[in-house]
Amino acid sequence: MESMLIEKSVQGDVESFEKLIVKYNRYVYNIAFRMMGNEEDAKDMSQETLIKAFKAIGQFKMESNFSTWLYRITINVCKDELRKRKETVLSYDAPLNEDEVTLKDTLKDETYNPLLIYEKLELRSSIENALNQLSEDSKSVVILKDIMGYSYEEIGAILEIPIGTVRSRLNRSRTTLKNILQIQLSEN
Amino acid sequence: MKCIEARELMNAYIDNTLSDKELASLERHLDSCESCTVEFEEFKYMVQLMGEIELKELPKGFEEELHEKLILASGEMVNHKHQNETAKSSNVISIFKNNFIKKKYYRYSAIPAALILVIFAAKGLFPSLNMAKSDQNFESYVAETTAAAMMENDTLYGGLEESKMAISPNVGEVNVTTSFTSNQDTATGEALLKSAGESNYETGRMIIQTSSIQMDVEGFDDKVTQIKSLVEASGGYIENENASYRFYVSDEDNLKYGYLTLRVPEEGYTLITDSIKALGRVTSDASNATDITKQYRDTAAEIENLKVTEQRLREIMSQAVEISDILSIENELTRIRGNISSYEKQMKDWENLVSLTTITVTLNEVKNLKPVVEPIDNSLWSKAKAGFISTINSVKTFFENLVIWVIAKSPYLVSLGVIALIIKHFYFKRRK
């Protein structure tokens, strides 16, 4: 079914392409939303992604997964845009400017699971904020793994990197994310 | 196991991708190390929270907006394909070129080149002879090409034949009222066919016609006046005019050269050029026609499309309630109106270029168009006398100037003379 739609889309049939992407639209939008950090940009980027995909569908090779291919374009479109804007992002190589603060220091008197004392919602919005401060590469791994829930193999295919790299990148990204989160919480 | 190693493995543990051996050693470490346990719990909780983040719904109108953009994109793709095809055909040419070079055919290409050289050398030897001939050649060439172009018109636009016939009587009337003096009978027929083919923008061809004529004339000023009156009679105008003396010999032998840029209505084009050519000897004649029919029609279609979009936006506008919606529709409308007017301007420019052809005439004044042996001037002796007197005068002036110079510079000369005397005096003294 999907391959038939792809073939028709290659010939420039807009309707077939729309049928093809209808189940991926929302994921593309959500990846873009997490990458860009706001709804306005997410809409622009996801539409740009889908149009790019439509124009380039002739280059899509049937042996790989269509969704993988589509998400790769999404990530790349967002990365390009972010690079263009040259927003200040934190990379996992550069150390954080703030003094190293651990949650334990800030919340001495609480239990061993101090994060629990925070309102879940509040914490989640902090995480979303912290995500926006990650570098593009770190962000893409965390989004795909922890928010979208893809496996290491799938992420490797989307980002075109080996699984070992996915693993180490995820490790570093989560650590950076947690550090940012701790700084945010200590500031409040 | 050390804490650093444990931290490396923690994330893999959360994602359930650890081997049994790694799992066992990590668990053992976590049991014994408090700080790592905290760290682990924090990671686990963070990842859990991120997993609970819900997917956002698509914004309103996302698919509709996307649909419009996709339609646009598919239009672009069709255009792109066309370009690719033309690119392919040019590739064929370059492949041919490559083969040509590879197979060393270029050795044989020396033969025609040598032939051309010989021809040019011959031309160089008998320039005057060739000049007269090339005029004729050129005319016959022009006649051939126009005939070929007409054939093409007939085959491609056979259906237009009727409309041509319908238009031609009107054009004929216009031509008669302009009342040209020369060549009218022969030129009118041609002009009729030509103009009828070009005049109808919607169905016929849009051709921008430009031509340039270089010619030798007798009596520069008269000819310029004649050209001007021709152009005015045809309803055109003179865009540019320039005239100057070629070189200054004496008061009698002033020869001028200059150029005129004329804009004449397309109906009068052939008549005008023929009349101008009759004024003197044409040394060079070139004309160029650019067919913009396709671009013109594409632009017209684009305007139609934009107008449809504009109409639809206005409909949406009438239903819009929220200020933000109205503003964004307003924006879009402004953009579309801007596009429409820029396209329309482009079309006006084209129409202007097509309806008025551009002719550049370069005039070069000569004493006589046909070379003649000039009789010995009666005033030869008086000229010789004048020359002799002027020579005498110049000799006189030279001596006058010399005297003036000597007197004017005498202070320097006296002091230099004194210095020379002193040196001479000492020189002889030493020798003694």
Side-chain angles (χ1 to χ4, degrees), chain A:
Chain A
M1 182 64 195
E2 196 162 73
S3 62
M4 223 173 70
L5 288 174
I6 292 171
E7 265 169 41
K8 274 192 179 172
S9 309
V10 171
Q11 287 156 11
D13 184 7
V14 175
E15 265 180 49
S16 307
F17 184 73
E18 279 171 335
K19 270 184 209 159
L20 177 67
I21 56 169
V22 78
K23 45 182 168 168
Y24 306 116
N25 271 347
R26 203 166 152 216
Y27 296 98
V28 169
Y29 176 72
N30 273 276
I31 294 174
F33 176 69
R34 295 298 163 197
M35 286 296 284
M36 304 306 293
N38 67 71
E39 289 174 13
E40 193 67 24
D41 287 340
K43 191 174 130 196
D44 290 347
M45 287 305 113
S46 48
Q47 295 209 343
E48 198 184 320
T49 302
L50 293 167
I51 287 158
K52 246 188 189 162
F54 177 58
K55 283 182 181 169
I57 197 163
Q59 294 158 28
F60 170 67
K61 292 176 193 73
M62 293 293 187
E63 61 242 40
S64 65
N65 219 329
F66 179 71
S67 62
T68 310
W69 182 74
L70 194 59
Y71 299 152
R72 186 184 309 148
I73 297 178
T74 314
I75 298 269
N76 286 339
V77 165
C78 293
K79 270 209 247 175
D80 283 348
E81 180 64 22
L82 288 172
R83 218 168 286 153
K84 257 186 242 161
R85 296 184 192 177
K86 284 202 176 120
E87 274 183 359
T88 44
V89 284
L90 294 174
S91 91
Y92 39 73
D93 301 327
L96 296 168
N97 290 336
E98 318 280 330
D99 299 352
E100 283 285 315
V101 193
T102 61
L103 273 179
K104 235 182 142 199
D105 297 334
T106 52
L107 307 156
K108 288 166 199 147
D109 51 346
E110 290 303 329
T111 61
Y112 284 135
N113 200 348
L115 286 171
L116 277 176
I117 60 162
Y118 279 91
E119 197 76 45
K120 242 190 182 182
L121 273 175
E122 201 179 316
L123 193 57
R124 207 181 287 158
S125 77
S126 309
I127 291 178
E128 287 175 25
N129 272 333
L131 253 179
N132 288 335
Q133 294 182 45
L134 284 178
S135 75
E136 293 113 47
D137 282 339
S138 314
K139 212 191 288 180
S140 53
V141 183
V142 177
I143 290 169
L144 290 175
K145 179 79 197 90
D146 294 336
I147 298 179
M148 310 301 289
Y150 293 107
S151 71
Y152 282 23
E153 286 79 12
E154 283 166 320
I155 296 170
I158 292 171
L159 299 176
E160 292 182 303
I161 50 176
I163 291 177
T165 315
V166 177
R167 199 175 184 174
S168 60
R169 201 179 274 182
L170 190 64
N171 214 349
R172 279 182 294 175
S173 307
R174 277 186 187 155
T175 313
T176 317
L177 187 66
K178 196 159 70 78
N179 287 341
I180 296 171
L181 202 58
Q182 281 167 341
I183 291 161
Q184 275 184 2
L185 296 181
S186 67
E187 273 169 358
N188 284 344

Side-chain angles (χ1 to χ4, degrees), chain B residues 17 28 36 98 126 134 149 178 199 211 236-237 280 378 389 426:
Chain B
T17 55
R28 228 177 300 130
C36 279
N98 282 342
F126 310 105
S134 68
T178 50
S199 56
S211 73
Y237 62 95
N378 289 335
I389 290 169
F426 278 107

